Amino acid sequence: MTVTADPSAYDLDALRARVLPHDDGSVDDSIPRLAEADPGLCAVALALQDGTVRGSARSDTLFAMQSSVKPFLFALALLDTDGDALHRVGIEPTGEAFDAIKLESGTGRPPNPMVNAGALLTASLVDGGDVEGRSDRILRGLSAFAGRPLEIDERTAGEEREHGERNHALAHLMRAEGTLHVTADDAVEVYGRACAVLLDVQALAVMGATLAFGGVNPLTGERVVPGSVARDVVSVMATCGVYDGSGTWMRRVGVPAKSSVSGALVLSAPRMLGAAIVSPPLDRQGTSVRGRIASEMLSDDLGLHVFATR
Ligand code: GLN
């Protein structure tokens, strides 16, 4: 029988050392800022219920959230629309890439909040009136999840704006279907700014933990979202968080998670912990290669798989 390690004593530097030699995958080059990422970067952090946050070497290195922001945009949209966001976006996995130009057939809604179409919509459902107000409200909401004030990397935001052709295409398609209520420019700008939020793995682990502990930030004690919202978000992370790799992820890691093109991964193990990993080289589904391997090891070592019975 495997002995499950104690997360408060778990050696994160040893985990980092085990995954560092895995140097396959390629760094995303959809914007110049991402293409400059250090392929050797690897950092891991855990956030526990008592508010303890533990990080490996390099756990204070900053990166852009990119798609790891999507669960939190969904959470803020559910909060601000009093649950109506659930009727505006689907929750079924697509089996397709994150930026596939495709909406739910029959409804014209985005397929789920974890792909780009869905996140363009959920970001537009957050309160705030105009682009600036909505973007500020998102930044404040994300900061509450992280338990510290976060900032936007203006260079990343600018490059997302300049290179966001597919996101524009998705937003226009939703306009044509009548499922997006703001202009395409507005939707792309607000979503692009959310993707450009900078943080380190320790802050991202706290964000994952806030969802894992029913919407209460374990660091600050603040209730950021109701328990029902956290549960809905984590459910959709479990089924859709790793795009067309979600099934394999769930079988192998068994922890709801969200991947991103910056190589960031956020994990929410309900009632147990939040975790985050960053390492820029990605596999074909856009998941960090070292992040996936580290997640498998973490899950095995700490007994995190939600369907494991031992
Ligand atoms: N900003 C990226 C995009 O919209 C985010 C995608 C991702 O991280 N998978 O294309």
mmCIF file with all atom_site columns, all heavy atoms in Angstrom, residues 156-179:
data_model
loop_
_atom_site.group_PDB
_atom_site.id
_atom_site.type_symbol
_atom_site.label_atom_id
_atom_site.label_alt_id
_atom_site.label_comp_id
_atom_site.label_asym_id
_atom_site.label_entity_id
_atom_site.label_seq_id
_atom_site.pdbx_PDB_ins_code
_atom_site.Cartn_x
_atom_site.Cartn_y
_atom_site.Cartn_z
_atom_site.occupancy
_atom_site.B_iso_or_equiv
_atom_site.pdbx_formal_charge
_atom_site.auth_seq_id
_atom_site.auth_comp_id
_atom_site.auth_asym_id
_atom_site.auth_atom_id
_atom_site.pdbx_PDB_model_num
ATOM 1   N N   . THR A 1 156 ? 1.679   42.317 -22.432 1.00 0.00 ? 156 THR A N   1
ATOM 2   C CA  . THR A 1 156 ? 0.888   41.137 -22.817 1.00 0.00 ? 156 THR A CA  1
ATOM 3   C C   . THR A 1 156 ? -0.509  41.565 -23.280 1.00 0.00 ? 156 THR A C   1
ATOM 4   O O   . THR A 1 156 ? -1.002  41.086 -24.314 1.00 0.00 ? 156 THR A O   1
ATOM 5   C CB  . THR A 1 156 ? 0.780   40.144 -21.636 1.00 0.00 ? 156 THR A CB  1
ATOM 6   O OG1 . THR A 1 156 ? 2.093   39.703 -21.289 1.00 0.00 ? 156 THR A OG1 1
ATOM 7   C CG2 . THR A 1 156 ? -0.090  38.957 -21.987 1.00 0.00 ? 156 THR A CG2 1
ATOM 8   N N   . ALA A 1 157 ? -1.126  42.489 -22.537 1.00 0.00 ? 157 ALA A N   1
ATOM 9   C CA  . ALA A 1 157 ? -2.482  42.929 -22.908 1.00 0.00 ? 157 ALA A CA  1
ATOM 10  C C   . ALA A 1 157 ? -2.467  43.539 -24.318 1.00 0.00 ? 157 ALA A C   1
ATOM 11  O O   . ALA A 1 157 ? -3.358  43.260 -25.138 1.00 0.00 ? 157 ALA A O   1
ATOM 12  C CB  . ALA A 1 157 ? -3.005  43.935 -21.890 1.00 0.00 ? 157 ALA A CB  1
ATOM 13  N N   . GLY A 1 158 ? -1.440  44.343 -24.612 1.00 0.00 ? 158 GLY A N   1
ATOM 14  C CA  . GLY A 1 158 ? -1.327  44.978 -25.929 1.00 0.00 ? 158 GLY A CA  1
ATOM 15  C C   . GLY A 1 158 ? -1.142  43.944 -27.030 1.00 0.00 ? 158 GLY A C   1
ATOM 16  O O   . GLY A 1 158 ? -1.748  44.033 -28.103 1.00 0.00 ? 158 GLY A O   1
ATOM 17  N N   . GLU A 1 159 ? -0.310  42.951 -26.756 1.00 0.00 ? 159 GLU A N   1
ATOM 18  C CA  . GLU A 1 159 ? -0.058  41.924 -27.778 1.00 0.00 ? 159 GLU A CA  1
ATOM 19  C C   . GLU A 1 159 ? -1.277  41.021 -27.977 1.00 0.00 ? 159 GLU A C   1
ATOM 20  O O   . GLU A 1 159 ? -1.552  40.561 -29.082 1.00 0.00 ? 159 GLU A O   1
ATOM 21  C CB  . GLU A 1 159 ? 1.178   41.104 -27.395 1.00 0.00 ? 159 GLU A CB  1
ATOM 22  C CG  . GLU A 1 159 ? 2.449   41.925 -27.517 1.00 0.00 ? 159 GLU A CG  1
ATOM 23  C CD  . GLU A 1 159 ? 3.726   41.153 -27.179 1.00 0.00 ? 159 GLU A CD  1
ATOM 24  O OE1 . GLU A 1 159 ? 3.649   39.952 -26.833 1.00 0.00 ? 159 GLU A OE1 1
ATOM 25  O OE2 . GLU A 1 159 ? 4.798   41.770 -27.244 1.00 0.00 ? 159 GLU A OE2 1
ATOM 26  N N   . GLU A 1 160 ? -2.024  40.758 -26.895 1.00 0.00 ? 160 GLU A N   1
ATOM 27  C CA  . GLU A 1 160 ? -3.268  39.982 -27.036 1.00 0.00 ? 160 GLU A CA  1
ATOM 28  C C   . GLU A 1 160 ? -4.248  40.729 -27.945 1.00 0.00 ? 160 GLU A C   1
ATOM 29  O O   . GLU A 1 160 ? -4.941  40.135 -28.759 1.00 0.00 ? 160 GLU A O   1
ATOM 30  C CB  . GLU A 1 160 ? -3.921  39.727 -25.665 1.00 0.00 ? 160 GLU A CB  1
ATOM 31  C CG  . GLU A 1 160 ? -3.199  38.736 -24.780 1.00 0.00 ? 160 GLU A CG  1
ATOM 32  C CD  . GLU A 1 160 ? -3.265  37.301 -25.295 1.00 0.00 ? 160 GLU A CD  1
ATOM 33  O OE1 . GLU A 1 160 ? -4.148  36.974 -26.101 1.00 0.00 ? 160 GLU A OE1 1
ATOM 34  O OE2 . GLU A 1 160 ? -2.389  36.505 -24.893 1.00 0.00 ? 160 GLU A OE2 1
ATOM 35  N N   . ARG A 1 161 ? -4.278  42.062 -27.762 1.00 0.00 ? 161 ARG A N   1
ATOM 36  C CA  . ARG A 1 161 ? -5.175  42.904 -28.579 1.00 0.00 ? 161 ARG A CA  1
ATOM 37  C C   . ARG A 1 161 ? -4.749  42.831 -30.047 1.00 0.00 ? 161 ARG A C   1
ATOM 38  O O   . ARG A 1 161 ? -5.565  42.618 -30.940 1.00 0.00 ? 161 ARG A O   1
ATOM 39  C CB  . ARG A 1 161 ? -5.066  44.347 -28.069 1.00 0.00 ? 161 ARG A CB  1
ATOM 40  C CG  . ARG A 1 161 ? -6.027  45.345 -28.682 1.00 0.00 ? 161 ARG A CG  1
ATOM 41  C CD  . ARG A 1 161 ? -5.760  46.745 -28.115 1.00 0.00 ? 161 ARG A CD  1
ATOM 42  N NE  . ARG A 1 161 ? -5.775  46.777 -26.660 1.00 0.00 ? 161 ARG A NE  1
ATOM 43  C CZ  . ARG A 1 161 ? -4.776  47.264 -25.894 1.00 0.00 ? 161 ARG A CZ  1
ATOM 44  N NH1 . ARG A 1 161 ? -3.692  47.781 -26.443 1.00 0.00 ? 161 ARG A NH1 1
ATOM 45  N NH2 . ARG A 1 161 ? -4.869  47.240 -24.588 1.00 0.00 ? 161 ARG A NH2 1
ATOM 46  N N   . GLU A 1 162 ? -3.446  42.970 -30.262 1.00 0.00 ? 162 GLU A N   1
ATOM 47  C CA  . GLU A 1 162 ? -2.910  43.033 -31.620 1.00 0.00 ? 162 GLU A CA  1
ATOM 48  C C   . GLU A 1 162 ? -3.014  41.687 -32.365 1.00 0.00 ? 162 GLU A C   1
ATOM 49  O O   . GLU A 1 162 ? -3.214  41.653 -33.568 1.00 0.00 ? 162 GLU A O   1
ATOM 50  C CB  . GLU A 1 162 ? -1.434  43.426 -31.507 1.00 0.00 ? 162 GLU A CB  1
ATOM 51  C CG  . GLU A 1 162 ? -0.843  44.046 -32.726 1.00 0.00 ? 162 GLU A CG  1
ATOM 52  C CD  . GLU A 1 162 ? 0.618   44.409 -32.442 1.00 0.00 ? 162 GLU A CD  1
ATOM 53  O OE1 . GLU A 1 162 ? 0.918   44.845 -31.303 1.00 0.00 ? 162 GLU A OE1 1
ATOM 54  O OE2 . GLU A 1 162 ? 1.435   44.221 -33.350 1.00 0.00 ? 162 GLU A OE2 1
ATOM 55  N N   . HIS A 1 163 ? -2.876  40.588 -31.619 1.00 0.00 ? 163 HIS A N   1
ATOM 56  C CA  . HIS A 1 163 ? -2.830  39.271 -32.267 1.00 0.00 ? 163 HIS A CA  1
ATOM 57  C C   . HIS A 1 163 ? -4.104  38.452 -32.052 1.00 0.00 ? 163 HIS A C   1
ATOM 58  O O   . HIS A 1 163 ? -4.114  37.257 -32.306 1.00 0.00 ? 163 HIS A O   1
ATOM 59  C CB  . HIS A 1 163 ? -1.631  38.465 -31.746 1.00 0.00 ? 163 HIS A CB  1
ATOM 60  C CG  . HIS A 1 163 ? -0.312  39.092 -32.070 1.00 0.00 ? 163 HIS A CG  1
ATOM 61  N ND1 . HIS A 1 163 ? 0.396   38.805 -33.213 1.00 0.00 ? 163 HIS A ND1 1
ATOM 62  C CD2 . HIS A 1 163 ? 0.419   40.021 -31.403 1.00 0.00 ? 163 HIS A CD2 1
ATOM 63  C CE1 . HIS A 1 163 ? 1.519   39.523 -33.235 1.00 0.00 ? 163 HIS A CE1 1
ATOM 64  N NE2 . HIS A 1 163 ? 1.551   40.268 -32.138 1.00 0.00 ? 163 HIS A NE2 1
ATOM 65  N N   . GLY A 1 164 ? -5.170  39.109 -31.578 1.00 0.00 ? 164 GLY A N   1
ATOM 66  C CA  . GLY A 1 164 ? -6.359  38.342 -31.174 1.00 0.00 ? 164 GLY A CA  1
ATOM 67  C C   . GLY A 1 164 ? -7.351  38.048 -32.292 1.00 0.00 ? 164 GLY A C   1
ATOM 68  O O   . GLY A 1 164 ? -8.564  38.101 -32.072 1.00 0.00 ? 164 GLY A O   1
ATOM 69  N N   . GLU A 1 165 ? -6.831  37.688 -33.478 1.00 0.00 ? 165 GLU A N   1
ATOM 70  C CA  . GLU A 1 165 ? -7.747  37.500 -34.617 1.00 0.00 ? 165 GLU A CA  1
ATOM 71  C C   . GLU A 1 165 ? -8.787  36.396 -34.369 1.00 0.00 ? 165 GLU A C   1
ATOM 72  O O   . GLU A 1 165 ? -9.970  36.553 -34.671 1.00 0.00 ? 165 GLU A O   1
ATOM 73  C CB  . GLU A 1 165 ? -6.981  37.150 -35.901 1.00 0.00 ? 165 GLU A CB  1
ATOM 74  C CG  . GLU A 1 165 ? -5.788  38.028 -36.233 1.00 0.00 ? 165 GLU A CG  1
ATOM 75  C CD  . GLU A 1 165 ? -6.169  39.476 -36.520 1.00 0.00 ? 165 GLU A CD  1
ATOM 76  O OE1 . GLU A 1 165 ? -7.356  39.798 -36.469 1.00 0.00 ? 165 GLU A OE1 1
ATOM 77  O OE2 . GLU A 1 165 ? -5.252  40.269 -36.778 1.00 0.00 ? 165 GLU A OE2 1
ATOM 78  N N   . ARG A 1 166 ? -8.338  35.278 -33.837 1.00 0.00 ? 166 ARG A N   1
ATOM 79  C CA  . ARG A 1 166 ? -9.291  34.171 -33.621 1.00 0.00 ? 166 ARG A CA  1
ATOM 80  C C   . ARG A 1 166 ? -10.311 34.536 -32.546 1.00 0.00 ? 166 ARG A C   1
ATOM 81  O O   . ARG A 1 166 ? -11.488 34.168 -32.645 1.00 0.00 ? 166 ARG A O   1
ATOM 82  C CB  . ARG A 1 166 ? -8.552  32.882 -33.237 1.00 0.00 ? 166 ARG A CB  1
ATOM 83  C CG  . ARG A 1 166 ? -7.735  32.299 -34.361 1.00 0.00 ? 166 ARG A CG  1
ATOM 84  C CD  . ARG A 1 166 ? -7.152  30.956 -33.987 1.00 0.00 ? 166 ARG A CD  1
ATOM 85  N NE  . ARG A 1 166 ? -8.135  29.887 -34.007 1.00 0.00 ? 166 ARG A NE  1
ATOM 86  C CZ  . ARG A 1 166 ? -8.515  29.231 -35.104 1.00 0.00 ? 166 ARG A CZ  1
ATOM 87  N NH1 . ARG A 1 166 ? -7.994  29.537 -36.270 1.00 0.00 ? 166 ARG A NH1 1
ATOM 88  N NH2 . ARG A 1 166 ? -9.406  28.267 -35.037 1.00 0.00 ? 166 ARG A NH2 1
ATOM 89  N N   . ASN A 1 167 ? -9.862  35.268 -31.529 1.00 0.00 ? 167 ASN A N   1
ATOM 90  C CA  . ASN A 1 167 ? -10.814 35.683 -30.499 1.00 0.00 ? 167 ASN A CA  1
ATOM 91  C C   . ASN A 1 167 ? -11.836 36.658 -31.082 1.00 0.00 ? 167 ASN A C   1
ATOM 92  O O   . ASN A 1 167 ? -13.023 36.609 -30.739 1.00 0.00 ? 167 ASN A O   1
ATOM 93  C CB  . ASN A 1 167 ? -10.069 36.282 -29.299 1.00 0.00 ? 167 ASN A CB  1
ATOM 94  C CG  . ASN A 1 167 ? -9.338  35.205 -28.512 1.00 0.00 ? 167 ASN A CG  1
ATOM 95  O OD1 . ASN A 1 167 ? -9.734  34.037 -28.530 1.00 0.00 ? 167 ASN A OD1 1
ATOM 96  N ND2 . ASN A 1 167 ? -8.270  35.581 -27.826 1.00 0.00 ? 167 ASN A ND2 1
ATOM 97  N N   . HIS A 1 168 ? -11.371 37.540 -31.990 1.00 0.00 ? 168 HIS A N   1
ATOM 98  C CA  . HIS A 1 168 ? -12.311 38.431 -32.681 1.00 0.00 ? 168 HIS A CA  1
ATOM 99  C C   . HIS A 1 168 ? -13.310 37.624 -33.502 1.00 0.00 ? 168 HIS A C   1
ATOM 100 O O   . HIS A 1 168 ? -14.509 37.918 -33.515 1.00 0.00 ? 168 HIS A O   1
ATOM 101 C CB  . HIS A 1 168 ? -11.560 39.408 -33.599 1.00 0.00 ? 168 HIS A CB  1
ATOM 102 C CG  . HIS A 1 168 ? -11.189 40.673 -32.908 1.00 0.00 ? 168 HIS A CG  1
ATOM 103 N ND1 . HIS A 1 168 ? -12.087 41.681 -32.666 1.00 0.00 ? 168 HIS A ND1 1
ATOM 104 C CD2 . HIS A 1 168 ? -10.021 41.072 -32.364 1.00 0.00 ? 168 HIS A CD2 1
ATOM 105 C CE1 . HIS A 1 168 ? -11.490 42.667 -32.016 1.00 0.00 ? 168 HIS A CE1 1
ATOM 106 N NE2 . HIS A 1 168 ? -10.230 42.320 -31.813 1.00 0.00 ? 168 HIS A NE2 1
ATOM 107 N N   . ALA A 1 169 ? -12.804 36.599 -34.183 1.00 0.00 ? 169 ALA A N   1
ATOM 108 C CA  . ALA A 1 169 ? -13.689 35.763 -35.000 1.00 0.00 ? 169 ALA A CA  1
ATOM 109 C C   . ALA A 1 169 ? -14.758 35.110 -34.118 1.00 0.00 ? 169 ALA A C   1
ATOM 110 O O   . ALA A 1 169 ? -15.953 35.102 -34.471 1.00 0.00 ? 169 ALA A O   1
ATOM 111 C CB  . ALA A 1 169 ? -12.873 34.695 -35.718 1.00 0.00 ? 169 ALA A CB  1
ATOM 112 N N   . LEU A 1 170 ? -14.338 34.602 -32.968 1.00 0.00 ? 170 LEU A N   1
ATOM 113 C CA  . LEU A 1 170 ? -15.300 33.958 -32.046 1.00 0.00 ? 170 LEU A CA  1
ATOM 114 C C   . LEU A 1 170 ? -16.315 34.973 -31.525 1.00 0.00 ? 170 LEU A C   1
ATOM 115 O O   . LEU A 1 170 ? -17.516 34.682 -31.435 1.00 0.00 ? 170 LEU A O   1
ATOM 116 C CB  . LEU A 1 170 ? -14.545 33.322 -30.867 1.00 0.00 ? 170 LEU A CB  1
ATOM 117 C CG  . LEU A 1 170 ? -13.825 32.023 -31.195 1.00 0.00 ? 170 LEU A CG  1
ATOM 118 C CD1 . LEU A 1 170 ? -12.814 31.657 -30.110 1.00 0.00 ? 170 LEU A CD1 1
ATOM 119 C CD2 . LEU A 1 170 ? -14.848 30.889 -31.365 1.00 0.00 ? 170 LEU A CD2 1
ATOM 120 N N   . ALA A 1 171 ? -15.829 36.164 -31.181 1.00 0.00 ? 171 ALA A N   1
ATOM 121 C CA  . ALA A 1 171 ? -16.738 37.183 -30.650 1.00 0.00 ? 171 ALA A CA  1
ATOM 122 C C   . ALA A 1 171 ? -17.745 37.604 -31.718 1.00 0.00 ? 171 ALA A C   1
ATOM 123 O O   . ALA A 1 171 ? -18.945 37.749 -31.436 1.00 0.00 ? 171 ALA A O   1
ATOM 124 C CB  . ALA A 1 171 ? -15.933 38.378 -30.147 1.00 0.00 ? 171 ALA A CB  1
ATOM 125 N N   . HIS A 1 172 ? -17.280 37.775 -32.954 1.00 0.00 ? 172 HIS A N   1
ATOM 126 C CA  . HIS A 1 172 ? -18.211 38.151 -34.042 1.00 0.00 ? 172 HIS A CA  1
ATOM 127 C C   . HIS A 1 172 ? -19.222 37.042 -34.305 1.00 0.00 ? 172 HIS A C   1
ATOM 128 O O   . HIS A 1 172 ? -20.397 37.318 -34.568 1.00 0.00 ? 172 HIS A O   1
ATOM 129 C CB  . HIS A 1 172 ? -17.428 38.493 -35.316 1.00 0.00 ? 172 HIS A CB  1
ATOM 130 C CG  . HIS A 1 172 ? -16.847 39.877 -35.270 1.00 0.00 ? 172 HIS A CG  1
ATOM 131 N ND1 . HIS A 1 172 ? -17.626 41.014 -35.305 1.00 0.00 ? 172 HIS A ND1 1
ATOM 132 C CD2 . HIS A 1 172 ? -15.573 40.295 -35.155 1.00 0.00 ? 172 HIS A CD2 1
ATOM 133 C CE1 . HIS A 1 172 ? -16.850 42.084 -35.223 1.00 0.00 ? 172 HIS A CE1 1
ATOM 134 N NE2 . HIS A 1 172 ? -15.597 41.671 -35.130 1.00 0.00 ? 172 HIS A NE2 1
ATOM 135 N N   . LEU A 1 173 ? -18.763 35.809 -34.216 1.00 0.00 ? 173 LEU A N   1
ATOM 136 C CA  . LEU A 1 173 ? -19.693 34.689 -34.425 1.00 0.00 ? 173 LEU A CA  1
ATOM 137 C C   . LEU A 1 173 ? -20.788 34.694 -33.337 1.00 0.00 ? 173 LEU A C   1
ATOM 138 O O   . LEU A 1 173 ? -21.969 34.501 -33.628 1.00 0.00 ? 173 LEU A O   1
ATOM 139 C CB  . LEU A 1 173 ? -18.896 33.376 -34.360 1.00 0.00 ? 173 LEU A CB  1
ATOM 140 C CG  . LEU A 1 173 ? -19.539 32.126 -34.907 1.00 0.00 ? 173 LEU A CG  1
ATOM 141 C CD1 . LEU A 1 173 ? -19.963 32.301 -36.355 1.00 0.00 ? 173 LEU A CD1 1
ATOM 142 C CD2 . LEU A 1 173 ? -18.564 30.942 -34.789 1.00 0.00 ? 173 LEU A CD2 1
ATOM 143 N N   . MET A 1 174 ? -20.384 34.974 -32.108 1.00 0.00 ? 174 MET A N   1
ATOM 144 C CA  . MET A 1 174 ? -21.387 35.045 -31.027 1.00 0.00 ? 174 MET A CA  1
ATOM 145 C C   . MET A 1 174 ? -22.311 36.243 -31.202 1.00 0.00 ? 174 MET A C   1
ATOM 146 O O   . MET A 1 174 ? -23.493 36.174 -30.877 1.00 0.00 ? 174 MET A O   1
ATOM 147 C CB  . MET A 1 174 ? -20.694 35.087 -29.657 1.00 0.00 ? 174 MET A CB  1
ATOM 148 C CG  . MET A 1 174 ? -20.069 33.753 -29.270 1.00 0.00 ? 174 MET A CG  1
ATOM 149 S SD  . MET A 1 174 ? -19.512 33.704 -27.546 1.00 0.00 ? 174 MET A SD  1
ATOM 150 C CE  . MET A 1 174 ? -17.979 34.612 -27.654 1.00 0.00 ? 174 MET A CE  1
ATOM 151 N N   . ARG A 1 175 ? -21.780 37.345 -31.738 1.00 0.00 ? 175 ARG A N   1
ATOM 152 C CA  . ARG A 1 175 ? -22.633 38.502 -32.052 1.00 0.00 ? 175 ARG A CA  1
ATOM 153 C C   . ARG A 1 175 ? -23.687 38.082 -33.086 1.00 0.00 ? 175 ARG A C   1
ATOM 154 O O   . ARG A 1 175 ? -24.863 38.392 -32.960 1.00 0.00 ? 175 ARG A O   1
ATOM 155 C CB  . ARG A 1 175 ? -21.809 39.665 -32.629 1.00 0.00 ? 175 ARG A CB  1
ATOM 156 C CG  . ARG A 1 175 ? -20.908 40.356 -31.654 1.00 0.00 ? 175 ARG A CG  1
ATOM 157 C CD  . ARG A 1 175 ? -21.652 41.207 -30.665 1.00 0.00 ? 175 ARG A CD  1
ATOM 158 N NE  . ARG A 1 175 ? -22.376 42.316 -31.260 1.00 0.00 ? 175 ARG A NE  1
ATOM 159 C CZ  . ARG A 1 175 ? -23.214 43.104 -30.586 1.00 0.00 ? 175 ARG A CZ  1
ATOM 160 N NH1 . ARG A 1 175 ? -23.438 42.900 -29.291 1.00 0.00 ? 175 ARG A NH1 1
ATOM 161 N NH2 . ARG A 1 175 ? -23.841 44.082 -31.189 1.00 0.00 ? 175 ARG A NH2 1
ATOM 162 N N   . ALA A 1 176 ? -23.221 37.366 -34.105 1.00 0.00 ? 176 ALA A N   1
ATOM 163 C CA  . ALA A 1 176 ? -24.127 36.947 -35.186 1.00 0.00 ? 176 ALA A CA  1
ATOM 164 C C   . ALA A 1 176 ? -25.220 36.024 -34.644 1.00 0.00 ? 176 ALA A C   1
ATOM 165 O O   . ALA A 1 176 ? -26.358 36.055 -35.110 1.00 0.00 ? 176 ALA A O   1
ATOM 166 C CB  . ALA A 1 176 ? -23.331 36.260 -36.292 1.00 0.00 ? 176 ALA A CB  1
ATOM 167 N N   . GLU A 1 177 ? -24.875 35.219 -33.652 1.00 0.00 ? 177 GLU A N   1
ATOM 168 C CA  . GLU A 1 177 ? -25.850 34.279 -33.058 1.00 0.00 ? 177 GLU A CA  1
ATOM 169 C C   . GLU A 1 177 ? -26.729 34.960 -32.016 1.00 0.00 ? 177 GLU A C   1
ATOM 170 O O   . GLU A 1 177 ? -27.653 34.356 -31.482 1.00 0.00 ? 177 GLU A O   1
ATOM 171 C CB  . GLU A 1 177 ? -25.113 33.108 -32.402 1.00 0.00 ? 177 GLU A CB  1
ATOM 172 C CG  . GLU A 1 177 ? -24.402 32.193 -33.376 1.00 0.00 ? 177 GLU A CG  1
ATOM 173 C CD  . GLU A 1 177 ? -25.375 31.349 -34.189 1.00 0.00 ? 177 GLU A CD  1
ATOM 174 O OE1 . GLU A 1 177 ? -26.541 31.181 -33.767 1.00 0.00 ? 177 GLU A OE1 1
ATOM 175 O OE2 . GLU A 1 177 ? -24.962 30.871 -35.262 1.00 0.00 ? 177 GLU A OE2 1
ATOM 176 N N   . GLY A 1 178 ? -26.353 36.196 -31.639 1.00 0.00 ? 178 GLY A N   1
ATOM 177 C CA  . GLY A 1 178 ? -27.120 36.920 -30.624 1.00 0.00 ? 178 GLY A CA  1
ATOM 178 C C   . GLY A 1 178 ? -26.805 36.463 -29.205 1.00 0.00 ? 178 GLY A C   1
ATOM 179 O O   . GLY A 1 178 ? -27.579 36.733 -28.269 1.00 0.00 ? 178 GLY A O   1
ATOM 180 N N   . THR A 1 179 ? -25.675 35.767 -29.018 1.00 0.00 ? 179 THR A N   1
ATOM 181 C CA  . THR A 1 179 ? -25.365 35.278 -27.667 1.00 0.00 ? 179 THR A CA  1
ATOM 182 C C   . THR A 1 179 ? -24.343 36.146 -26.936 1.00 0.00 ? 179 THR A C   1
ATOM 183 O O   . THR A 1 179 ? -24.103 35.949 -25.749 1.00 0.00 ? 179 THR A O   1
ATOM 184 C CB  . THR A 1 179 ? -24.865 33.814 -27.726 1.00 0.00 ? 179 THR A CB  1
ATOM 185 O OG1 . THR A 1 179 ? -23.905 33.670 -28.769 1.00 0.00 ? 179 THR A OG1 1
ATOM 186 C CG2 . THR A 1 179 ? -26.023 32.870 -27.993 1.00 0.00 ? 179 THR A CG2 1
#
